[in-house]
Amino acid sequence: MSIFAYQICRDALVADTNTPLPAPTLTFSNWNDEFVFALQAWRADETSENLLKNFSARVKTRLEQAGEEALLIIGLRCAELYVVEEKSNASPQNGRLAPPSPDSRLTTVSNQEAVQQFLRSMLGWLPQGQHDRDHLEAFRRAHALASEQGLTGVALNRLFQRALWLFEKVRLETDFFHSPLAVHEVLLEVAGKIFGGFKARAALIIGENAEQLELTQALQQAQIGRLYFAPASLEKLTEEHSGETRTPIREIAQLSFIDLLLFCETPEKNWWSRASLQQLMAARNHAPLLLADLTAATAAHHRHEFEKINNLFHFRRQDLTRMIEQNTRTRRQVEAEVAAWIQQEVEQFYQWHDSEDRFHFGAMVGRSRHMQRVFELIARIAQTDITVLLEGESGTGKELVARGIHQASSRARRVFIPVNCGALPENLLESELFGHMRGAFTGAINHKPGLFEEANNGTIFLDEIGEMSPALQVKLLRFLQDGEIKRVGSNAVVKADVRVLAATNRHLLQMVEEGKFRRDLYYRLNVINIVLPPLRERPEDVEILAPHFLRKYAGRMRKTVTSISMAAMAQLKKLAWPGNVRELENVIERAVALAGNTTIDLMDLPPLLRQSPQNSHVATRLPLKEIERQYILETVAACGGNYDEAARVLEIGRTTLWRKLKAYLNAKDATVV
Amino acid sequence: MLHLIQWLIVAAYAVALVCYARAFRSGRPLESVQAGQLMTLAAGLHLFYLIYLTVISGHLPVTDVFESITTCVWLFGAVYLSLEWRFKERSLGLFILPVIIFLQTLSNLFLDLSQELPAILQDVVFEIHVLLMLFSYAAFAISFIASLLYLLLARDLERKSLGLFYRRLPSLAFFDSLSNFSVNIGLVFLTAGVGLGIYTGVKLAQPFFASWDPKFAAVGLTWLIYLLHFFFRRASRWRGKRVAVLSLLGFGWVLFSFLVVSLVFSRVHQF
């Protein structure tokens, strides 16, 4: 796998409109072209939303065919494109070896550096070292869209989750986001330190200069109560929203309703003497006033004149720049710390990437894009108690997935009970699932708890749910809704805490249409739907499954078979596999048994056998902490990793949420959701 | 047992102080939350101590100077914790805990339970009187800390330097309103407390109220200082830093009158 990142900053693009971007070849043979194409639209001021949609429409099929991933981010200042390719021939080294960039304004990096850039960008830490919070927002929006469209896969999603985690860590454990580096930011911070909130405050910006626009935006973002503008002559004051004007201003006392006086130009009137400012303060009843002079050259005398006026805070441009210098110094240290964290994340990402883990989930193996998505989905939902419906042909490993979900969940140490609903007649199934009382029917000579009760605190896996009779469907629905069951022949209600996973090899929705399956139950089961594709649709998985089974059976039979011949593998990949993975497994088992030397040859491949599952352990009740943990993780997952949102939903502070999550996921490699 | 609990409380407050200091230095919200939890723990232990005192002496621990100090300190801590909880602003802990530790140590050193208790001091109305007074002092103490921080932050702002106070403290407006709020509360309780005090005095008549007591003058001055604070902060040149200084002076006088006037001059009024 190789990762590329393309990046360009808007300043570079806009400042240099004369140099055209290299025309894409329009065949879109490489990602560079895609990116340049998007950039042209960007320069033409197309909205980022449209741009992203067009992009996803264009590349979707291509990505799916090649098993690649792509994420395009269009921020206010910076555009980026991340691409993950499954090709293993790309150089694993760092640097600019990746597709050559036709334009020096466009930077291209690959692999480790690309991962690094991904993480940095998520923190809004742009290449020139400036910091842009909006970029993070753009990033989140782009990712939401891309993952919805299926453009991103395991690698980018994992990176995204890690980056969210890193953001939270940086936000809560360092001053990274609290050291303003621009004049308007510092000024706003100072104003915050004086006034606390801005809602009840009025600001006046006099004149115009380079920072005026940014300052205005910053004040609006801070939700200032009223914002006035005035020309240097102070002829009239105009309020921004209401359009209210005040004319003319004859004496300084008329400005007494202003709390922030911001000069972008030196005003013409000669009001700014000590005496007149004292007059102003008196008119304000000595309420605090921030007087900021952002003109390039402040007369030196200003400083001493204003210094001793009570509650007047006077900041000159040089004061603010000095504060920025101080900030820059402290920020370097923080940046070094954050950079180290990023490096750590990069290494962890590659560790995960290099390990076989990437293709394994529990007892499942798969490298096809589809199976990777399934693994990812399982990882995300396992920790919750969401009901899952598995769809797939016989032998695609539905029970393995269910077991995998159980193993990855917090119920892993409790029982996992698989039940095949098609294997038993209706009445028997009912008393199996729900239990019965003594004498409920002929032969019921004792009380018997049902499997739901047995599975308390654990997981129950209902295979072939489509075979269930309508009467039982109602009972099951009742359990799913209230968590209550009634034994056959009993009126007493028993509560059970069981996670339900269901599977079917029939098209359930169609059965619903035909009236053979209850619609309400279908929707209750189908909270999360995992479709397991048949093996013939993912021949690339044969390549990894066959050696996996080979190792398994060679070990079991103590044979020294170690490889599969090219011809045999080619044949295996060609087959239609009606029995899917199970069939493949049996074929390999048989081949291992028959193999004469260390290699399985074409000769060793004939018909099939069968296999059966096994059973498990003990149950106790969940502690409160565990329930809290599950619920929090579930909420975070439901909010798509948006911690802000999750904290709001849970009605706890973000800090509290962070503390808890941190405690849960102490393990080094833990992914957030 | 008593001594063990006494010093355990001081130790617990000290541990919380260390945590607040570390959180203040690093600015990590997580650490300050932990510090707050430790302080709550210490305050809980303190409450247990107060109950224990009440049980072994048979009356509320408000009958002499050092008993009152420990009650007052607890009230102070509880008021602070509720403010911390309300405003989610945890930077004040670092400044409040030294005061708490100092006063609690003082109380530990000089607490003497063996004293004979005059009958009048066992009156319920009297106990309420003392509690009201103590609560108002606790409020003034909060105002003291808020004003102190106001001055520190204002100093950083005037120097235009990004000192630690500038970075960690919320805003002048916050401290201003916190200080004003606590002075308001303090004034109400002080007034009610003095009223009850006079009532008790009149009711008991002899020999309590007959002789003039420097304590009356001391409380009167306290009341005057905070009344000035109440009026000055609205619309005058005094607004801002000078009012903050007034609050510092006010609390300084409260401490002085509480300790020195009570111990040195007063014979009649026990404290």
Side-chain angles (χ1 to χ4, degrees):
Chain A
M1 181 177 70
S2 41
I3 303 177
F4 302 113
Y6 304 82
Q7 188 180 47
I8 193 166
C9 282
R10 190 168 195 127
D11 296 341
L13 198 64
V14 175
D16 193 9
T17 35
N18 295 331
T19 323
L21 285 163
T25 49
L26 282 176
T27 53
F28 296 124
S29 56
N30 67 41
W31 286 104
N32 219 331
D33 289 344
E34 276 295 349
F35 191 48
V36 169
F37 188 75
L39 289 182
Q40 281 172 339
W42 192 38
R43 188 149 74 176
D45 276 328
E46 198 176 319
T47 63
S48 58
E49 204 125 320
N50 275 341
L51 227 155
L52 293 179
K53 277 185 189 143
N54 290 343
F55 173 77
S56 87
R58 264 202 321 279
V59 300
K60 204 171 172 181
T61 40
R62 163 179 177 178
L63 288 177
E64 265 164 23
Q65 278 163 8
E68 294 173 344
E69 303 174 33
L71 177 60
L72 177 70
I73 299 116
I74 301 289
L76 281 176
R77 289 206 204 156
C78 208
E80 294 178 285
L81 172 67
Y82 294 94
V83 178
V84 178
E85 291 179 349
E86 250 331 309
K87 273 181 255 157
S88 47
N89 55 3
S91 162
Q93 274 175 308
N94 283 333
R96 287 155 223 280
L97 299 172
S101 157
D103 194 321
S104 60
R105 290 171 293 181
L106 203 154
T107 57
T108 319
V109 290
S110 65
N111 296 340
Q112 295 225 359
E113 276 186 25
V115 175
Q116 211 172 5
Q117 187 184 313
F118 186 101
L119 295 165
R120 275 179 63 134
S121 287
M122 267 288 281
L123 296 176
W125 187 8
L126 299 182
Q128 281 77 24
Q130 77 268 44
H131 181 252
D132 184 5
R133 261 168 186 266
D134 301 326
H135 197 70
L136 169 74
E137 272 315 303
F139 213 114
R140 286 192 181 188
R141 261 179 284 125
H143 181 266
L145 190 83
S147 67
E148 187 186 304
Q149 298 278 331
L151 305 187
T152 57
V154 212
L156 286 183
N157 285 348
R158 189 186 167 91
L159 264 182
F160 183 76
Q161 296 298 341
R162 290 309 304 179
L164 278 180
W165 181 254
L166 186 68
F167 174 81
E168 207 62 5
K169 184 170 174 177
V170 169
R171 197 187 75 87
L172 286 168
E173 298 197 348
T174 69
D175 274 340
F176 189 79
F177 297 114
H178 306 296
S179 40
L181 297 175
V183 172
H184 66 275
E185 286 172 358
V186 179
L187 186 58
L188 226 64
E189 193 186 66
V190 166
K193 292 287 171 189
I194 295 170
F195 299 113
F198 291 96
K199 279 221 168 91
R201 306 289 164 186
L204 169 63
I205 300 181
I206 298 174
E208 281 177 16
N209 74 352
E211 274 117 9
Q212 199 228 21
L213 184 68
E214 280 169 332
L215 191 58
T216 311
Q217 279 174 351
L219 283 169
Q220 282 166 340
Q221 244 174 23
Q223 295 183 315
I224 187 114
R226 283 163 301 158
L227 179 57
Y228 293 90
F229 295 100
S233 62
L234 273 179
E235 262 169 359
K236 65 169 185 180
L237 265 55
T238 319
E239 214 280 328
E240 209 216 354
H241 291 292
S242 60
E244 166 207 351
T245 56
R246 297 188 186 215
T247 51
I249 306 293
R250 284 207 198 80
E251 56 179 39
I252 194 166
Q254 276 177 285
L255 293 178
S256 64
F257 62 97
I258 299 289
D259 301 302
L260 291 91
L261 257 178
L262 313 169
F263 298 106
C264 289
E265 279 176 61
T266 319
E268 287 162 16
K269 293 204 170 100
N270 191 21
W271 281 348
W272 316 106
S273 67
R274 187 181 165 82
S276 59
L277 278 171
Q278 268 170 340
Q279 204 186 332
L280 175 64
M281 292 306 285
R284 290 174 55 72
N285 285 333
H286 301 274
L289 171 71
L290 173 62
L291 185 70
D293 196 339
L294 300 179
T295 52
T298 318
H301 68 271
H302 270 183
R303 170 157 199 145
H304 305 295
E305 287 226 343
F306 301 157
E307 215 159 47
K308 297 286 175 201
I309 299 181
N310 185 28
N311 256 348
L312 174 74
F313 297 91
H314 179 227
F315 281 80
R316 298 166 303 162
R317 186 178 199 91
Q318 38 291 38
D319 298 325
L320 298 173
T321 44
R322 223 188 53 221
M323 291 170 87
I324 291 176
E325 276 163 29
Q326 287 187 21
N327 264 340
T328 322
R329 246 171 284 143
T330 46
R331 193 180 159 92
R332 289 234 172 87
Q333 299 167 359
V334 180
E335 278 182 359
E337 194 182 351
V338 173
W341 287 351
I342 289 182
Q343 197 48 45
Q344 213 179 326
E345 282 295 333
V346 171
E347 275 156 29
Q348 266 186 36
F349 177 77
Y350 271 91
Q351 254 173 30
W352 165 80
H353 166 255
D354 293 337
S355 67
E356 278 275 294
D357 286 358
R358 199 149 70 91
F359 300 130
H360 289 251
F361 195 99
M364 288 166 286
V365 183
R367 67 140 48 118
S368 66
R369 189 181 177 73
H370 200 111
M371 286 311 286
Q372 291 276 298
R373 279 223 197 115
V374 169
F375 294 166
E376 196 195 1
L377 192 59
I378 294 173
R380 288 171 76 149
I381 56 155
Q383 293 275 341
T384 71
D385 272 344
I386 298 175
T387 311
V388 181
L389 181 63
L390 299 160
E391 286 183 30
E393 287 179 13
S394 161
T396 44
K398 295 187 290 288
E399 183 166 339
L400 274 187
V401 172
R403 232 172 245 283
I405 293 174
H406 174 75
Q407 289 300 334
S409 76
S410 45
R411 296 170 183 264
R413 296 178 61 194
R414 326 264 188 238
V415 283
F416 174 82
I417 300 183
V419 182
N420 190 330
C421 303
L424 296 169
E426 181 187 342
N427 292 335
L428 201 51
L429 182 63
E430 181 176 6
S431 75
E432 272 292 307
L433 286 179
F434 299 99
H436 57 75
M437 302 304 287
R438 184 176 170 181
F441 46 81
T442 316
I445 50 168
N446 260 321
H447 295 317
K448 178 176 177 286
L451 291 176
F452 274 110
E453 279 169 80
E454 292 283 326
N456 198 8
N457 297 322
T459 309
I460 197 162
F461 172 58
L462 303 172
D463 204 356
E464 301 192 35
I465 189 94
E467 310 292 327
M468 209 180 238
S469 71
L472 265 184
Q473 287 176 26
V474 179
K475 269 197 131 173
L476 178 60
L477 181 64
R478 181 169 161 71
F479 170 73
L480 286 173
Q481 272 164 352
D482 310 330
E484 289 175 352
I485 44 179
K486 254 191 234 168
R487 290 185 190 173
V488 176
S490 160
N491 292 325
V493 167
V494 187
K495 285 251 176 207
D497 166 35
V498 179
R499 180 179 195 170
V500 176
L501 306 173
T504 174
N505 52 12
R506 291 163 66 172
H507 199 53
L508 264 195
L509 197 57
Q510 202 179 326
M511 291 180 66
V512 170
E513 300 297 333
E514 290 166 8
K516 289 183 193 154
F517 199 81
R518 290 183 66 96
R519 187 176 291 273
D520 41 8
L521 179 60
Y522 174 74
Y523 289 125
R524 206 77 180 78
L525 287 173
N526 196 24
V527 183
I528 294 281
N529 189 324
I530 298 181
V531 178
L532 296 171
L535 193 55
R536 62 181 171 279
E537 284 178 18
R538 43 186 176 107
E540 65 266 44
D541 277 351
V542 175
E543 267 175 52
I544 185 163
L545 281 166
H548 172 73
F549 291 132
L550 175 72
R551 276 194 297 279
K552 179 175 166 186
Y553 289 105
R556 196 173 285 182
M557 298 177 202
R558 298 204 187 84
K559 292 193 81 165
T560 51
V561 187
T562 53
S563 61
I564 302 172
S565 76
M566 300 276 276
M569 185 59 93
Q571 176 64 22
L572 288 176
K573 284 176 78 173
K574 255 185 270 169
L575 294 174
W577 299 114
N580 291 304
V581 184
R582 188 187 289 134
E583 187 181 0
L584 175 67
E585 179 170 4
N586 293 337
V587 168
I588 300 290
E589 183 180 11
R590 191 187 161 91
V592 170
L594 295 179
N597 55 11
T598 59
T599 307
I600 290 181
D601 214 359
L602 212 46
M603 311 273 286
D604 304 322
L605 302 176
L608 5 147
L609 285 160
R610 277 212 160 229
Q611 257 219 331
S612 62
Q614 38 206 275
N615 248 330
S616 23
H617 347 268
V618 216
T620 32
R621 283 207 65 83
L622 282 183
L624 185 59
K625 255 198 168 144
E626 187 53 36
I627 290 171
E628 181 190 85
R629 186 181 104 100
Q630 276 181 23
Y631 184 65
I632 287 177
L633 288 172
E634 199 174 310
T635 313
V636 171
C639 296
N642 185 338
Y643 298 96
D644 245 343
E645 179 70 28
R648 229 185 343 266
V649 171
L650 293 167
E651 289 186 11
I652 55 176
R654 235 174 124 167
T655 317
T656 317
L657 179 63
W658 171 248
R659 181 163 43 91
K660 289 187 185 294
L661 286 175
K662 211 176 159 184
Y664 303 153
L665 301 168
N666 249 345
K668 233 187 159 190
D669 194 42
T671 311
V672 189
V673 275
Chain B
M1 174 69 179
L2 192 67
H3 290 291
L4 180 71
I5 304 177
Q6 277 179 343
W7 293 108
L8 214 61
I9 292 168
V10 173
Y13 280 129
V15 172
L17 175 64
V18 171
C19 285
Y20 271 113
R22 280 180 47 194
F24 196 78
R25 244 195 82 205
S26 71
R28 296 183 180 174
L30 212 58
E31 285 178 15
S32 62
V33 170
Q34 285 161 355
Q37 289 166 345
L38 278 173
M39 171 138 179
T40 316
L41 206 72
L45 192 65
H46 197 161
L47 180 63
F48 172 73
Y49 167 67
L50 293 182
I51 294 170
Y52 182 70
L53 272 186
T54 311
V55 170
I56 58 170
S57 68
H59 56 81
L60 288 181
V62 291
T63 54
D64 82 5
V65 181
F66 298 107
E67 277 183 10
S68 315
I69 285 181
T70 184
T71 310
C72 184
V73 162
W74 182 79
L75 281 172
F76 182 38
V79 169
Y80 165 68
L81 281 173
S82 59
L83 287 172
E84 180 181 288
W85 178 76
R86 172 71 183 75
F87 294 109
K88 307 283 178 227
E89 179 50 58
R90 299 187 170 86
S91 53
L92 273 75
L94 174 60
F95 304 90
I96 275 167
L97 275 166
V99 177
I100 289 185
I101 291 173
F102 170 72
L103 290 175
Q104 183 59 30
T105 311
L106 215 59
S107 160
N108 284 356
L109 289 175
F110 298 108
L111 186 72
D112 180 11
L113 291 174
S114 59
Q115 274 175 341
E116 267 303 306
L117 200 61
I120 47 161
L121 293 186
Q122 283 174 325
D123 186 33
V124 179
V125 182
F126 171 79
E127 282 182 345
I128 295 175
H129 154 70
V130 177
L131 276 180
L132 286 174
M133 296 298 271
L134 292 181
F135 194 83
S136 73
Y137 293 162
F140 292 143
I142 296 274
S143 164
F144 168 78
I145 299 290
S147 302
L148 186 69
L149 294 180
Y150 182 95
L151 290 174
L152 288 169
L153 181 55
R155 199 187 62 153
D156 265 7
L157 276 168
E158 272 160 20
R159 287 184 176 181
K160 292 152 180 74
S161 68
L162 303 169
L164 198 57
F165 296 116
Y166 175 85
R167 266 184 283 136
R168 296 283 178 260
L169 298 182
S171 69
L172 290 182
F174 173 79
F175 290 126
D176 199 38
S177 56
L178 179 60
S179 167
N180 292 346
F181 176 71
S182 8
V183 167
N184 290 352
I185 300 271
L187 262 179
V188 170
F189 278 81
L190 186 67
T191 313
V194 167
L196 264 192
I198 293 173
Y199 167 77
T200 324
V202 170
K203 198 176 82 173
L204 301 170
Q206 283 301 327
F208 212 70
F209 205 57
S211 56
W212 186 84
D213 188 335
K215 187 77 190 178
F216 300 152
V219 172
L221 187 55
T222 310
W223 196 70
L224 204 66
I225 291 177
Y226 284 104
L227 206 63
L228 273 184
H229 185 285
F230 185 81
F231 285 114
F232 275 167
R233 73 188 185 220
R234 272 147 212 282
S236 78
R237 277 159 201 281
W238 281 64
R239 205 165 161 165
K241 282 197 292 182
R242 282 177 226 180
V243 164
V245 172
L246 191 62
S247 163
L248 296 194
L249 289 178
F251 188 65
W253 176 252
V254 167
L255 273 189
F256 179 78
S257 66
F258 203 76
L259 293 173
V260 181
V261 177
S262 299
L263 291 177
V264 178
F265 298 106
S266 180
R267 289 276 154 266
V268 197
H269 204 134
Q270 277 274 333
F271 62 95

